[in-house]
């Protein structure tokens, strides 16, 4: 029988990357003479990557943004972020223990993120976690990305898993919508990067710490979905 699999989102779920994303966002905004975004308001700017963050920051200050300037600022954002990996980014409390818990129980582990694949691989490698994941799929790994359910399904297949024995863990409406569309149960963490509580998006379960991501919870959700 195929081993069960847990697929994690990356930013705001496995790893707190907010300090580095915020630094890179503000680095790019400075080049456009836009006021810096503060930590308190950061969640308002998180979207589907740097491009959306830049767009939202400009819109919030009623600043226009043409395509060429948008591309220039995105390159500044990505170059700054890439050059500083892993920066201040660290796994959330309980992540390392959860990885060990599920590995010891025979689960496959994978990452499905809308972060670029190269940056995802670099971050996980810099944090010393690469060996734990059977697949790490970014927004450019396939010809589609979350919330397209194929991103999640193909990540599972890439890891050698079965979508019928899978669980998604994420922090956003995008993650929840993706899992639902794929017919896969989803656990939402409530400490990630969303300006609305994840409970509003009706995930299968909500946790506030990775200690609550137990084998029993995973088994129950996968069994119920099957």
């Amino acid at each position: 029988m195929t081993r069960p699999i847990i697929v994690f989102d990356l930013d705001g779920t496995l790893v707190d990357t907010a300090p580095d994303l915020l630094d890179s966002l503000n680095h790019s905004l400075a080049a456009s003479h836009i006021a810096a975004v503060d930590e308190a308001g950061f969640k308002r700017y998180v979207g589907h990557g740097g491009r959306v963050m830049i767009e939202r920051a400009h819109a919030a200050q009623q600043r226009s943004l043409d395509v060429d300037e948008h591309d220039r600022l995105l390159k500044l954002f990505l170059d700054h972020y890439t050059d500083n990996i892993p920066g201040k980014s660290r796994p959330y409390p309980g992540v390392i223990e959860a990885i060990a818990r599920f590995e010891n129980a025979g689960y496959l582990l994978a990452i499905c993120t809308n972060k670029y694949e190269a940056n995802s691989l670099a971050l996980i490698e810099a944090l010393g976690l690469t060996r734990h994941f059977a697949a790490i799929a970014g927004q450019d790994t396939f010809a589609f990305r979350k919330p397209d359910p194929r991103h999640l399904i193909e990540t599972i297949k890439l890891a050698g898993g079965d979508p019928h024995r899978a669980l998604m863990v994420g922090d956003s409406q995008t993650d929840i919508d993706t899992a639902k569309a794929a017919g896969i149960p989803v656990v939402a963490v409530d400490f990630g990067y969303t300006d609305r509580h994840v409970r509003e998006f009706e995930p299968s379960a909500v946790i506030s710490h990775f200690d609550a991501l137990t084998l029993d919870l995973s088994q129950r959700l996968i069994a119920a979905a099957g």
Side-chain angles (χ1 to χ4, degrees), residues 126-171:
L127 295 173
L129 300 176
T130 303
R131 63 188 174 86
H132 299 293
F133 296 100
I136 299 174
Q139 67 162 266
D140 52 339
T141 302
F142 308 111
F144 35 77
R145 63 177 185 172
K146 298 183 295 184
D148 190 317
R150 293 176 295 174
H151 192 180
L152 175 55
I153 291 168
E154 291 304 316
T155 299
I156 291 168
K157 291 179 179 178
L158 185 63
D162 180 352
H164 295 102
R165 303 196 71 209
L167 177 68
M168 176 76 185
V169 181
D171 73 310

Coordinates of all heavy atoms in Angstrom, one line a residue, residues 126-171:
A126 N 19.1 25.6 3.0 CA 19.8 26.5 4.0 C 19.4 26.2 5.4 O 20.2 26.3 6.4 CB 19.6 27.9 3.7
L127 N 18.1 25.7 5.6 CA 17.6 25.4 6.9 C 17.9 23.9 7.3 O 17.6 23.5 8.4 CB 16.1 25.6 7.0 CG 15.7 27.1 6.8 CD1 14.2 27.2 6.8 CD2 16.2 28.0 8.0
G128 N 18.6 23.2 6.4 CA 19.0 21.8 6.7 C 17.8 20.8 6.7 O 17.9 19.8 7.3
L129 N 16.8 21.1 5.9 CA 15.6 20.3 5.9 C 15.3 19.5 4.6 O 14.4 18.7 4.6 CB 14.4 21.1 6.2 CG 14.4 21.9 7.5 CD1 13.1 22.8 7.6 CD2 14.4 21.0 8.7
T130 N 16.2 19.6 3.6 CA 15.9 19.0 2.3 C 15.7 17.5 2.4 O 14.8 17.0 1.7 CB 17.1 19.3 1.4 OG1 17.3 20.7 1.3 CG2 16.8 18.7 0.0
R131 N 16.4 16.8 3.2 CA 16.4 15.3 3.2 C 15.0 14.8 3.7 O 14.7 13.6 3.4 CB 17.5 14.8 4.1 CG 17.3 15.2 5.6 CD 18.6 14.8 6.4 NE 18.5 15.3 7.7 CZ 17.9 14.7 8.7 NH1 17.3 13.6 8.5 NH2 18.0 15.2 9.9
H132 N 14.2 15.7 4.3 CA 12.9 15.2 4.8 C 11.8 15.2 3.8 O 10.8 14.6 4.0 CB 12.5 16.1 6.0 CG 13.4 16.1 7.1 ND1 13.6 15.0 7.9 CD2 14.2 17.1 7.6 CE1 14.5 15.3 8.9 NE2 14.9 16.6 8.7
F133 N 12.0 15.8 2.6 CA 10.9 16.0 1.7 C 11.1 15.2 0.4 O 12.2 15.4 -0.3 CB 10.7 17.5 1.4 CG 10.3 18.3 2.6 CD1 11.3 19.0 3.3 CD2 9.0 18.2 3.1 CE1 10.9 19.7 4.5 CE2 8.6 18.9 4.2 CZ 9.6 19.6 4.9
A134 N 10.1 14.5 0.0 CA 10.2 13.7 -1.2 C 10.0 14.5 -2.4 O 10.4 14.1 -3.5 CB 9.2 12.6 -1.1
A135 N 9.4 15.7 -2.3 CA 9.2 16.6 -3.4 C 9.0 18.0 -2.9 O 8.4 18.2 -1.8 CB 8.0 16.2 -4.3
I136 N 9.6 19.0 -3.6 CA 9.4 20.4 -3.3 C 9.0 21.1 -4.6 O 9.8 21.2 -5.5 CB 10.7 21.0 -2.7 CG1 11.1 20.4 -1.4 CG2 10.4 22.5 -2.5 CD1 12.4 20.8 -0.8
A137 N 7.7 21.4 -4.7 CA 7.2 22.0 -6.0 C 6.8 23.5 -5.8 O 6.0 23.8 -4.9 CB 6.0 21.2 -6.4
G138 N 7.4 24.3 -6.6 CA 7.1 25.8 -6.5 C 6.1 26.2 -7.6 O 5.5 25.4 -8.3
Q139 N 5.9 27.5 -7.7 CA 4.9 28.0 -8.6 C 5.3 27.8 -10.1 O 4.4 27.8 -10.9 CB 4.7 29.5 -8.4 CG 5.9 30.4 -8.7 CD 5.5 31.9 -8.9 OE1 5.2 32.3 -10.0 NE2 5.4 32.6 -7.8
D140 N 6.6 27.6 -10.3 CA 7.0 27.3 -11.7 C 7.5 25.9 -12.0 O 8.1 25.6 -13.0 CB 8.2 28.3 -12.0 CG 9.3 28.3 -11.0 OD1 9.1 27.8 -9.9 OD2 10.4 28.7 -11.3
T141 N 7.2 25.0 -11.1 CA 7.5 23.6 -11.3 C 6.7 23.0 -12.4 O 7.2 22.2 -13.2 CB 7.3 22.8 -10.0 OG1 8.2 23.4 -8.9 CG2 7.7 21.3 -10.2
F142 N 5.4 23.3 -12.4 CA 4.5 22.8 -13.4 C 3.9 24.0 -14.2 O 4.3 25.2 -13.9 CB 3.3 22.1 -12.7 CG 3.8 21.0 -11.8 CD1 3.6 21.1 -10.4 CD2 4.4 19.9 -12.2 CE1 4.0 20.2 -9.5 CE2 4.8 18.9 -11.4 CZ 4.6 19.0 -10.0
A143 N 3.0 23.8 -15.1 CA 2.5 24.8 -15.9 C 1.2 25.5 -15.2 O 0.5 26.3 -15.8 CB 2.1 24.3 -17.3
F144 N 1.0 25.1 -14.0 CA -0.1 25.6 -13.2 C 0.3 25.7 -11.7 O 1.4 25.1 -11.3 CB -1.3 24.7 -13.3 CG -0.9 23.2 -13.4 CD1 -0.5 22.5 -12.3 CD2 -0.9 22.6 -14.7 CE1 -0.1 21.2 -12.4 CE2 -0.5 21.3 -14.8 CZ -0.1 20.6 -13.7
R145 N -0.4 26.5 -10.9 CA 0.0 26.7 -9.5 C -1.3 26.9 -8.7 O -2.4 27.1 -9.3 CB 0.9 27.9 -9.4 CG 0.3 29.2 -9.7 CD 1.3 30.3 -9.5 NE 0.7 31.6 -9.7 CZ 1.3 32.8 -9.4 NH1 2.5 32.8 -8.8 NH2 0.7 33.9 -9.6
K146 N -1.1 26.7 -7.4 CA -2.3 26.9 -6.5 C -3.0 28.3 -6.8 O -2.2 29.2 -7.0 CB -1.8 26.9 -5.0 CG -1.2 25.6 -4.6 CD -0.9 25.6 -3.1 CE 0.2 26.6 -2.8 NZ 0.7 26.6 -1.3
P147 N -4.3 28.4 -6.8 CA -5.3 27.4 -6.4 C -5.7 26.3 -7.3 O -6.6 25.6 -7.1 CB -6.4 28.3 -6.0 CG -6.4 29.4 -7.0 CD -4.9 29.7 -7.2
D148 N -5.0 26.2 -8.4 CA -5.3 25.1 -9.4 C -5.0 23.8 -8.6 O -3.8 23.5 -8.2 CB -4.4 25.2 -10.6 CG -4.8 24.2 -11.7 OD1 -5.1 23.0 -11.4 OD2 -4.8 24.6 -12.9
P149 N -5.9 22.9 -8.5 CA -5.7 21.6 -7.7 C -4.7 20.7 -8.3 O -4.1 19.9 -7.6 CB -7.1 21.0 -7.7 CG -7.8 21.5 -8.9 CD -7.3 22.9 -9.0
R150 N -4.4 20.9 -9.6 CA -3.3 20.1 -10.2 C -2.0 20.3 -9.6 O -1.1 19.4 -9.6 CB -3.3 20.3 -11.7 CG -4.6 19.9 -12.5 CD -4.5 20.3 -14.0 NE -4.5 21.7 -14.1 CZ -4.3 22.3 -15.3 NH1 -4.1 21.6 -16.4 NH2 -4.3 23.6 -15.4
H151 N -1.7 21.5 -9.1 CA -0.4 21.8 -8.5 C -0.2 20.8 -7.3 O 0.8 20.2 -7.1 CB -0.4 23.2 -8.0 CG 0.9 23.7 -7.6 ND1 1.2 25.0 -7.2 CD2 2.1 23.1 -7.5 CE1 2.4 25.2 -6.8 NE2 3.0 24.0 -7.0
L152 N -1.3 20.7 -6.5 CA -1.2 19.8 -5.3 C -1.2 18.3 -5.7 O -0.3 17.6 -5.2 CB -2.4 20.1 -4.4 CG -2.6 19.2 -3.2 CD1 -1.3 19.2 -2.3 CD2 -3.8 19.6 -2.4
I153 N -2.0 18.0 -6.6 CA -2.1 16.6 -7.1 C -0.8 16.1 -7.7 O -0.2 15.0 -7.4 CB -3.3 16.4 -8.0 CG1 -4.6 16.5 -7.3 CG2 -3.2 15.0 -8.7 CD1 -5.8 16.6 -8.2
E154 N -0.2 17.0 -8.6 CA 1.1 16.6 -9.2 C 2.2 16.6 -8.2 O 3.2 15.8 -8.4 CB 1.3 17.5 -10.4 CG 0.4 17.3 -11.6 CD 0.3 15.9 -12.1 OE1 1.4 15.3 -12.3 OE2 -0.8 15.4 -12.3
T155 N 2.2 17.5 -7.2 CA 3.2 17.4 -6.2 C 3.2 16.1 -5.5 O 4.2 15.5 -5.2 CB 3.0 18.6 -5.2 OG1 3.1 19.8 -5.9 CG2 4.1 18.5 -4.1
I156 N 2.0 15.6 -5.1 CA 1.8 14.3 -4.5 C 2.4 13.2 -5.3 O 3.1 12.3 -4.9 CB 0.3 14.1 -4.1 CG1 -0.1 15.1 -3.1 CG2 0.1 12.6 -3.7 CD1 -1.6 15.1 -2.9
K157 N 2.1 13.2 -6.6 CA 2.5 12.2 -7.5 C 4.1 12.3 -7.7 O 4.7 11.2 -7.7 CB 1.9 12.3 -8.9 CG 0.4 12.0 -8.9 CD -0.2 12.2 -10.2 CE -1.7 11.8 -10.2 NZ -2.3 12.1 -11.6
L158 N 4.6 13.5 -7.7 CA 6.1 13.7 -7.8 C 6.8 13.1 -6.6 O 7.9 12.5 -6.7 CB 6.4 15.2 -7.9 CG 7.8 15.6 -8.2 CD1 8.3 15.0 -9.5 CD2 8.0 17.1 -8.1
A159 N 6.1 13.1 -5.5 CA 6.7 12.6 -4.2 C 6.5 11.1 -4.1 O 7.0 10.5 -3.2 CB 6.1 13.3 -3.0
G160 N 5.7 10.5 -5.0 CA 5.5 9.1 -5.0 C 4.3 8.7 -4.1 O 4.1 7.6 -3.6
G161 N 3.4 9.7 -3.8 CA 2.3 9.5 -3.0 C 1.0 9.3 -3.8 O 1.0 9.3 -5.0
D162 N -0.1 9.1 -3.0 CA -1.4 8.8 -3.5 C -2.4 9.9 -3.1 O -2.5 10.1 -1.9 CB -1.9 7.5 -3.1 CG -3.3 7.1 -3.6 OD1 -4.0 8.0 -4.2 OD2 -3.7 6.0 -3.3
P163 N -3.0 10.7 -4.0 CA -3.9 11.7 -3.6 C -5.0 11.2 -2.7 O -5.6 12.0 -1.9 CB -4.5 12.3 -4.9 CG -3.4 12.0 -5.9 CD -2.8 10.6 -5.5
H164 N -5.4 10.0 -2.7 CA -6.4 9.4 -1.8 C -5.9 9.1 -0.4 O -6.7 8.8 0.4 CB -7.0 8.1 -2.5 CG -7.7 8.4 -3.8 ND1 -7.1 8.1 -5.0 CD2 -8.9 8.9 -4.0 CE1 -7.9 8.4 -5.9 NE2 -9.0 8.9 -5.4
R165 N -4.6 9.2 -0.2 CA -4.0 9.0 1.1 C -3.2 10.3 1.5 O -2.1 10.1 1.9 CB -3.2 7.8 1.2 CG -4.0 6.5 0.8 CD -3.2 5.3 1.2 NE -3.2 5.1 2.7 CZ -2.3 4.5 3.4 NH1 -1.2 4.1 2.8 NH2 -2.4 4.4 4.7
A166 N -3.8 11.4 1.3 CA -3.0 12.7 1.4 C -3.7 13.7 2.3 O -4.9 13.7 2.5 CB -2.8 13.3 0.1
L167 N -2.9 14.5 2.9 CA -3.4 15.7 3.7 C -2.6 16.9 3.4 O -1.4 16.8 3.2 CB -3.2 15.3 5.2 CG -3.6 16.4 6.2 CD1 -5.1 16.6 6.3 CD2 -3.1 16.0 7.6
M168 N -3.3 18.0 3.3 CA -2.6 19.3 3.0 C -2.6 20.1 4.3 O -3.5 20.1 5.1 CB -3.4 20.1 1.9 CG -2.9 21.5 1.6 SD -1.4 21.5 0.6 CE -1.0 23.2 0.6
V169 N -1.5 20.8 4.5 CA -1.4 21.8 5.6 C -1.0 23.1 5.1 O 0.0 23.2 4.4 CB -0.3 21.3 6.7 CG1 -0.2 22.3 7.8 CG2 -0.6 19.9 7.2
G170 N -1.8 24.2 5.4 CA -1.5 25.5 4.8 C -2.0 26.6 5.7 O -2.5 26.3 6.8
D171 N -1.8 27.8 5.3 CA -2.2 29.0 6.1 C -3.1 30.0 5.5 O -3.3 31.0 6.0 CB -0.9 29.7 6.5 CG -0.3 30.5 5.4 OD1 -0.1 29.9 4.3 OD2 0.0 31.7 5.6

